[in-house]
Amino acid sequence: MKQIITTDKAPAPIGPYNQAVLIGTTLYTSGQIALNPITMELVMDSIEAETKQVMENMKAVLAAAEMTFENVVKTTIFIMDMNDFAAINSVYGQYFDESTAPARETVQVAGLPKGVNVEISMVAVR
């Protein structure tokens, strides 16, 4: 049975989707961007600050499903500029133990919602 996961500790959806969907023991998250969940304003001071906000938003979504980054088995990172990869990767890496880090792909795209530089989605399993 499909269970919708929501939290006010991450940005509310800005379209016809939910923050995450739990099917059995598998959680599928929507992509998170650097919206501050309190102000709903973008955090774009630097690519590092932007990535940190994305990861904090994702942390809140995982927590709403009673999971942590340890449960994450797959991530997808969409970035506007591959030149930002090292900075994004540095912040992203702070949230995972390298020996148990999830599978991942990173894709450069032509555009992202609200003109952000990075969007990340995840799949997690209990």
Side-chain angles (χ1 to χ4, degrees):
M1 174 169 240
K2 178 166 89 170
Q3 179 183 351
I4 303 303
I5 303 297
T6 61
T7 178
D8 60 2
K9 292 179 175 51
I14 55 176
Y17 61 91
N18 288 290
Q19 291 167 327
V21 176
L22 183 66
I23 303 285
T25 60
T26 304
L27 182 73
Y28 301 91
T29 74
S30 291
Q32 285 291 323
I33 60 174
L35 279 172
N36 178 309
I38 297 168
T39 64
M40 288 302 284
E41 292 184 16
L42 289 169
V43 175
M44 306 271 294
D45 303 329
S46 67
I47 193 63
E48 292 86 358
E50 187 175 350
T51 305
K52 180 176 177 160
Q53 184 64 58
V54 170
M55 295 301 287
E56 289 297 315
N57 291 345
M58 194 58 71
K59 182 179 181 180
V61 172
L62 290 168
E66 300 177 352
M67 294 188 196
T68 69
F69 288 108
E70 284 295 313
N71 296 98
V72 177
V73 297
K74 177 76 166 57
T75 65
T76 302
I77 302 175
F78 302 97
I79 62 177
M80 288 294 295
D81 185 346
M82 199 56 80
N83 291 316
D84 288 333
F85 177 80
I88 292 167
N89 195 52
S90 176
V91 174
Y92 170 95
Q94 295 172 22
Y95 290 83
F96 294 101
D97 177 339
E98 194 170 322
S99 66
T100 60
R104 177 183 85 184
E105 69 256 333
T106 303
V107 182
Q108 181 173 321
V109 295
L112 288 168
K114 296 190 170 279
V116 299
N117 298 299
V118 60
E119 179 175 1
I120 301 174
S121 65
M122 299 182 178
V123 176
V125 179
R126 281 196 186 127

